[in-house]
Amino acid sequence: MENEGARDVVVDEEAWVVEGRNVAGGGRTSGGFCAGSSIVVDHQRINAPSVVFSASMPALLATSASEAIAHLCNTPSVLAILQENIRAIRTVLEKTDGITVLGHRASPIVHFCLRTTSNSLAVPSSASAFDGEAEERILQDIVDDALANGVLLTRAKHLKAQEMIESRPTIRIAVSAAFTKKEMEKAATVVKASIARVLGKRR
């Protein structure tokens, strides 16, 4: 209900619902979309500032996102394969000495850090309990060893000067449905062996 001068104007909420979604992550593209009733869309098109449109997603990326959604709809089994691969790699890594596997169990982006008394990604408040540069060197050695044995990994990269809360150094693994469960288990075994070799030299 709005007050306009001396009279009340009833606003139909359903007519002004705007839905927005981000497709940058899941669709491997950028931006997102904003949708609503024809009244809302017309209002946005006519009255919204130009930045709404000048910053909108380019057509090629929109097509890419649309194709990604269509692929998931037409091949729903790919999600089951992906989850199976995630479980396969996490099962091996979670049994690996010296590291802690982080993140949600269903996430295809798997992070792990060197094991400490805390599993938190946040840097401990005590500076003596954490040496970020030393951990990054160790993790890079693991990345290099795994690459030498046929598995490509990467350390998670951060712009430290722009982070409000400094994060623990981690290795980032992107799990894919393009591989079989056996291939994922083999890759995870290579990573486990690399971790054991690198950490074994430092004991």
Short mmCIF file of all heavy atoms in Angstrom, two decimals, residues 14-58:
data_model
loop_
_atom_site.label_atom_id
_atom_site.label_comp_id
_atom_site.label_asym_id
_atom_site.label_seq_id
_atom_site.Cartn_x
_atom_site.Cartn_y
_atom_site.Cartn_z
N GLU A 14 2.31 -9.33 -7.15
CA GLU A 14 2.62 -10.30 -8.19
C GLU A 14 3.06 -9.62 -9.48
O GLU A 14 3.85 -10.17 -10.25
CB GLU A 14 1.40 -11.19 -8.47
CG GLU A 14 1.03 -12.11 -7.32
CD GLU A 14 2.14 -13.09 -6.99
OE1 GLU A 14 2.77 -13.60 -7.94
OE2 GLU A 14 2.40 -13.33 -5.81
N ALA A 15 2.56 -8.43 -9.72
CA ALA A 15 2.89 -7.72 -10.96
C ALA A 15 4.30 -7.14 -10.93
O ALA A 15 4.83 -6.77 -11.96
CB ALA A 15 1.89 -6.60 -11.21
N TRP A 16 4.92 -7.09 -9.72
CA TRP A 16 6.21 -6.43 -9.61
C TRP A 16 7.32 -7.36 -9.12
O TRP A 16 8.36 -6.93 -8.71
CB TRP A 16 6.10 -5.22 -8.67
CG TRP A 16 5.22 -4.18 -9.28
CD1 TRP A 16 3.92 -3.95 -9.03
CD2 TRP A 16 5.59 -3.25 -10.30
NE1 TRP A 16 3.43 -2.94 -9.81
CE2 TRP A 16 4.44 -2.48 -10.60
CE3 TRP A 16 6.77 -2.98 -11.00
CZ2 TRP A 16 4.45 -1.47 -11.56
CZ3 TRP A 16 6.77 -1.97 -11.95
CH2 TRP A 16 5.61 -1.22 -12.22
N VAL A 17 7.06 -8.64 -9.20
CA VAL A 17 8.09 -9.60 -8.80
C VAL A 17 9.18 -9.65 -9.87
O VAL A 17 8.89 -9.81 -11.06
CB VAL A 17 7.49 -11.01 -8.58
CG1 VAL A 17 8.59 -12.03 -8.37
CG2 VAL A 17 6.56 -11.00 -7.39
N VAL A 18 10.41 -9.48 -9.45
CA VAL A 18 11.55 -9.57 -10.36
C VAL A 18 12.44 -10.69 -9.87
O VAL A 18 12.78 -10.76 -8.70
CB VAL A 18 12.35 -8.25 -10.40
CG1 VAL A 18 13.54 -8.37 -11.33
CG2 VAL A 18 11.46 -7.10 -10.81
N GLU A 19 12.81 -11.58 -10.78
CA GLU A 19 13.65 -12.70 -10.42
C GLU A 19 15.00 -12.55 -11.10
O GLU A 19 15.07 -12.29 -12.29
CB GLU A 19 12.99 -14.01 -10.85
CG GLU A 19 13.73 -15.24 -10.42
CD GLU A 19 12.94 -16.51 -10.71
OE1 GLU A 19 11.70 -16.47 -10.70
OE2 GLU A 19 13.59 -17.54 -10.93
N GLY A 20 16.05 -12.71 -10.33
CA GLY A 20 17.39 -12.62 -10.88
C GLY A 20 18.18 -13.88 -10.58
O GLY A 20 17.99 -14.50 -9.54
N ARG A 21 19.05 -14.27 -11.49
CA ARG A 21 19.88 -15.45 -11.29
C ARG A 21 21.29 -15.19 -11.81
O ARG A 21 21.49 -14.48 -12.80
CB ARG A 21 19.30 -16.67 -12.03
CG ARG A 21 18.02 -17.20 -11.42
CD ARG A 21 18.29 -17.88 -10.08
NE ARG A 21 17.07 -18.41 -9.51
CZ ARG A 21 16.28 -17.78 -8.66
NH1 ARG A 21 16.57 -16.56 -8.29
NH2 ARG A 21 15.20 -18.36 -8.19
N ASN A 22 22.25 -15.80 -11.14
CA ASN A 22 23.65 -15.70 -11.53
C ASN A 22 24.02 -16.97 -12.30
O ASN A 22 23.82 -18.07 -11.79
CB ASN A 22 24.51 -15.54 -10.27
CG ASN A 22 25.99 -15.48 -10.59
OD1 ASN A 22 26.40 -15.61 -11.74
ND2 ASN A 22 26.79 -15.30 -9.57
N VAL A 23 24.54 -16.83 -13.50
CA VAL A 23 24.94 -18.00 -14.28
C VAL A 23 26.46 -18.07 -14.47
O VAL A 23 26.96 -18.87 -15.24
CB VAL A 23 24.24 -18.03 -15.66
CG1 VAL A 23 22.75 -18.15 -15.50
CG2 VAL A 23 24.59 -16.79 -16.48
N ALA A 24 27.18 -17.23 -13.72
CA ALA A 24 28.63 -17.15 -13.90
C ALA A 24 29.32 -18.45 -13.49
O ALA A 24 30.25 -18.90 -14.15
CB ALA A 24 29.20 -15.98 -13.10
N GLY A 25 28.89 -19.06 -12.39
CA GLY A 25 29.56 -20.26 -11.90
C GLY A 25 29.11 -21.51 -12.61
O GLY A 25 29.88 -22.16 -13.33
N GLY A 26 27.85 -21.88 -12.41
CA GLY A 26 27.34 -23.13 -12.96
C GLY A 26 27.32 -23.18 -14.47
O GLY A 26 27.52 -24.24 -15.05
N GLY A 27 27.12 -22.05 -15.12
CA GLY A 27 27.05 -22.03 -16.58
C GLY A 27 28.38 -21.78 -17.25
O GLY A 27 28.46 -21.70 -18.47
N ARG A 28 29.44 -21.61 -16.43
CA ARG A 28 30.78 -21.32 -16.95
C ARG A 28 30.76 -20.15 -17.92
O ARG A 28 31.29 -20.20 -19.01
CB ARG A 28 31.37 -22.55 -17.63
CG ARG A 28 31.67 -23.68 -16.68
CD ARG A 28 32.75 -23.26 -15.69
NE ARG A 28 33.09 -24.33 -14.77
CZ ARG A 28 32.62 -24.39 -13.52
NH1 ARG A 28 31.78 -23.48 -13.09
NH2 ARG A 28 32.98 -25.36 -12.72
N THR A 29 30.06 -19.09 -17.51
CA THR A 29 29.96 -17.91 -18.35
C THR A 29 30.07 -16.69 -17.44
O THR A 29 30.77 -16.75 -16.43
CB THR A 29 28.65 -17.95 -19.17
OG1 THR A 29 28.55 -16.77 -19.95
CG2 THR A 29 27.43 -18.11 -18.30
N SER A 30 29.39 -15.62 -17.74
CA SER A 30 29.44 -14.45 -16.86
C SER A 30 28.07 -13.83 -16.74
O SER A 30 27.17 -14.11 -17.54
CB SER A 30 30.42 -13.41 -17.42
OG SER A 30 29.91 -12.86 -18.62
N GLY A 31 27.92 -12.99 -15.75
CA GLY A 31 26.67 -12.25 -15.59
C GLY A 31 25.52 -13.11 -15.13
O GLY A 31 25.67 -14.10 -14.45
N GLY A 32 24.33 -12.71 -15.53
CA GLY A 32 23.13 -13.40 -15.12
C GLY A 32 21.95 -12.85 -15.89
O GLY A 32 22.11 -12.31 -16.98
N PHE A 33 20.77 -12.99 -15.32
CA PHE A 33 19.59 -12.45 -16.00
C PHE A 33 18.60 -11.95 -14.97
O PHE A 33 18.66 -12.31 -13.79
CB PHE A 33 18.93 -13.51 -16.90
CG PHE A 33 18.33 -14.66 -16.12
CD1 PHE A 33 17.02 -14.59 -15.64
CD2 PHE A 33 19.06 -15.80 -15.87
CE1 PHE A 33 16.47 -15.63 -14.93
CE2 PHE A 33 18.52 -16.85 -15.16
CZ PHE A 33 17.21 -16.77 -14.68
N CYS A 34 17.72 -11.10 -15.42
CA CYS A 34 16.67 -10.55 -14.58
C CYS A 34 15.36 -10.70 -15.36
O CYS A 34 15.29 -10.32 -16.52
CB CYS A 34 16.96 -9.08 -14.29
SG CYS A 34 15.80 -8.33 -13.15
N ALA A 35 14.37 -11.32 -14.74
CA ALA A 35 13.12 -11.59 -15.45
C ALA A 35 11.93 -11.27 -14.56
O ALA A 35 12.02 -11.31 -13.34
CB ALA A 35 13.07 -13.05 -15.90
N GLY A 36 10.81 -10.99 -15.18
CA GLY A 36 9.59 -10.70 -14.44
C GLY A 36 8.42 -10.61 -15.40
O GLY A 36 8.50 -11.04 -16.55
N SER A 37 7.34 -10.04 -14.92
CA SER A 37 6.16 -9.88 -15.77
C SER A 37 6.45 -8.86 -16.86
O SER A 37 7.44 -8.12 -16.81
CB SER A 37 4.97 -9.41 -14.92
OG SER A 37 5.21 -8.09 -14.46
N SER A 38 5.57 -8.81 -17.85
CA SER A 38 5.78 -7.86 -18.96
C SER A 38 5.79 -6.42 -18.45
O SER A 38 6.52 -5.58 -18.98
CB SER A 38 4.69 -8.04 -20.02
OG SER A 38 3.41 -7.83 -19.45
N ILE A 39 5.03 -6.13 -17.41
CA ILE A 39 5.01 -4.77 -16.86
C ILE A 39 6.38 -4.40 -16.29
O ILE A 39 6.91 -3.33 -16.54
CB ILE A 39 3.93 -4.65 -15.75
CG1 ILE A 39 2.54 -4.88 -16.33
CG2 ILE A 39 4.01 -3.30 -15.05
CD1 ILE A 39 1.44 -4.97 -15.30
N VAL A 40 6.97 -5.35 -15.53
CA VAL A 40 8.27 -5.10 -14.92
C VAL A 40 9.35 -4.99 -16.00
O VAL A 40 10.20 -4.10 -15.96
CB VAL A 40 8.63 -6.24 -13.93
CG1 VAL A 40 10.07 -6.10 -13.46
CG2 VAL A 40 7.68 -6.23 -12.76
N VAL A 41 9.31 -5.89 -16.98
CA VAL A 41 10.31 -5.87 -18.04
C VAL A 41 10.23 -4.56 -18.83
O VAL A 41 11.25 -3.93 -19.13
CB VAL A 41 10.13 -7.07 -18.99
CG1 VAL A 41 11.04 -6.95 -20.20
CG2 VAL A 41 10.41 -8.37 -18.24
N ASP A 42 9.01 -4.13 -19.15
CA ASP A 42 8.85 -2.85 -19.87
C ASP A 42 9.36 -1.69 -19.03
O ASP A 42 10.02 -0.78 -19.54
CB ASP A 42 7.38 -2.62 -20.22
CG ASP A 42 6.91 -3.54 -21.34
OD1 ASP A 42 7.78 -4.10 -22.03
OD2 ASP A 42 5.68 -3.71 -21.51
N HIS A 43 9.05 -1.72 -17.73
CA HIS A 43 9.51 -0.64 -16.85
C HIS A 43 11.04 -0.60 -16.82
O HIS A 43 11.65 0.47 -16.91
CB HIS A 43 8.96 -0.85 -15.44
CG HIS A 43 9.54 0.11 -14.43
ND1 HIS A 43 9.11 1.42 -14.33
CD2 HIS A 43 10.53 -0.05 -13.51
CE1 HIS A 43 9.82 2.02 -13.37
NE2 HIS A 43 10.67 1.14 -12.86
N GLN A 44 11.65 -1.77 -16.70
CA GLN A 44 13.10 -1.83 -16.63
C GLN A 44 13.74 -1.36 -17.93
O GLN A 44 14.71 -0.62 -17.93
CB GLN A 44 13.55 -3.25 -16.31
CG GLN A 44 15.04 -3.37 -16.07
CD GLN A 44 15.46 -4.79 -15.75
OE1 GLN A 44 14.79 -5.74 -16.15
NE2 GLN A 44 16.56 -4.94 -15.04
N ARG A 45 13.16 -1.77 -19.05
CA ARG A 45 13.71 -1.40 -20.35
C ARG A 45 13.62 0.10 -20.58
O ARG A 45 14.55 0.71 -21.12
CB ARG A 45 12.95 -2.15 -21.45
CG ARG A 45 13.50 -1.90 -22.84
CD ARG A 45 12.73 -2.66 -23.90
NE ARG A 45 12.84 -4.09 -23.72
CZ ARG A 45 11.80 -4.92 -23.61
NH1 ARG A 45 10.57 -4.44 -23.63
NH2 ARG A 45 11.98 -6.21 -23.46
N ILE A 46 12.53 0.71 -20.17
CA ILE A 46 12.30 2.13 -20.46
C ILE A 46 12.93 3.04 -19.42
O ILE A 46 13.52 4.07 -19.74
CB ILE A 46 10.79 2.42 -20.55
CG1 ILE A 46 10.19 1.65 -21.74
CG2 ILE A 46 10.52 3.91 -20.70
CD1 ILE A 46 8.68 1.64 -21.75
N ASN A 47 12.84 2.64 -18.14
CA ASN A 47 13.22 3.56 -17.07
C ASN A 47 14.53 3.22 -16.35
O ASN A 47 15.03 4.03 -15.59
CB ASN A 47 12.11 3.62 -16.02
CG ASN A 47 10.81 4.14 -16.62
OD1 ASN A 47 10.82 5.13 -17.33
ND2 ASN A 47 9.72 3.47 -16.34
N ALA A 48 15.06 2.04 -16.57
CA ALA A 48 16.28 1.66 -15.85
C ALA A 48 17.47 2.44 -16.39
O ALA A 48 17.48 2.83 -17.56
CB ALA A 48 16.52 0.17 -16.00
N PRO A 49 18.47 2.68 -15.56
CA PRO A 49 19.66 3.38 -16.05
C PRO A 49 20.38 2.54 -17.11
O PRO A 49 20.26 1.32 -17.14
CB PRO A 49 20.53 3.53 -14.79
CG PRO A 49 20.01 2.52 -13.83
CD PRO A 49 18.56 2.36 -14.13
N SER A 50 21.10 3.21 -17.96
CA SER A 50 21.74 2.53 -19.09
C SER A 50 22.72 1.45 -18.66
O SER A 50 22.97 0.49 -19.39
CB SER A 50 22.46 3.54 -19.98
OG SER A 50 23.47 4.19 -19.24
N VAL A 51 23.27 1.58 -17.44
CA VAL A 51 24.24 0.60 -16.98
C VAL A 51 23.63 -0.80 -16.91
O VAL A 51 24.32 -1.80 -17.04
CB VAL A 51 24.82 1.01 -15.60
CG1 VAL A 51 23.76 0.91 -14.51
CG2 VAL A 51 26.02 0.16 -15.25
N VAL A 52 22.31 -0.87 -16.71
CA VAL A 52 21.66 -2.19 -16.66
C VAL A 52 21.88 -2.94 -17.96
O VAL A 52 22.08 -4.15 -17.97
CB VAL A 52 20.14 -2.02 -16.39
CG1 VAL A 52 19.42 -3.37 -16.54
CG2 VAL A 52 19.91 -1.46 -15.00
N PHE A 53 21.88 -2.21 -19.07
CA PHE A 53 22.03 -2.86 -20.36
C PHE A 53 23.47 -2.85 -20.86
O PHE A 53 23.92 -3.80 -21.49
CB PHE A 53 21.10 -2.21 -21.38
CG PHE A 53 19.66 -2.36 -20.97
CD1 PHE A 53 18.97 -1.32 -20.38
CD2 PHE A 53 19.01 -3.58 -21.12
CE1 PHE A 53 17.66 -1.49 -19.97
CE2 PHE A 53 17.71 -3.75 -20.70
CZ PHE A 53 17.03 -2.70 -20.13
N SER A 54 24.23 -1.79 -20.54
CA SER A 54 25.61 -1.75 -21.01
C SER A 54 26.46 -2.80 -20.32
O SER A 54 27.48 -3.21 -20.82
CB SER A 54 26.21 -0.36 -20.78
OG SER A 54 26.29 -0.08 -19.39
N ALA A 55 26.01 -3.24 -19.13
CA ALA A 55 26.76 -4.26 -18.40
C ALA A 55 26.10 -5.64 -18.51
O ALA A 55 26.43 -6.55 -17.78
CB ALA A 55 26.87 -3.87 -16.93
N SER A 56 25.16 -5.78 -19.42
CA SER A 56 24.47 -7.06 -19.56
C SER A 56 25.38 -8.09 -20.22
O SER A 56 26.40 -7.76 -20.81
CB SER A 56 23.18 -6.90 -20.36
OG SER A 56 23.48 -6.48 -21.67
N MET A 57 24.98 -9.35 -20.11
CA MET A 57 25.81 -10.43 -20.63
C MET A 57 25.88 -10.41 -22.15
O MET A 57 24.87 -10.30 -22.82
CB MET A 57 25.21 -11.76 -20.15
CG MET A 57 26.08 -12.94 -20.46
SD MET A 57 25.54 -14.49 -19.73
CE MET A 57 23.86 -14.23 -19.28
N PRO A 58 27.09 -10.55 -22.72
CA PRO A 58 27.22 -10.60 -24.18
C PRO A 58 26.47 -11.81 -24.75
O PRO A 58 26.32 -12.84 -24.08
CB PRO A 58 28.72 -10.76 -24.39
CG PRO A 58 29.34 -10.23 -23.14
CD PRO A 58 28.38 -10.56 -22.04
#
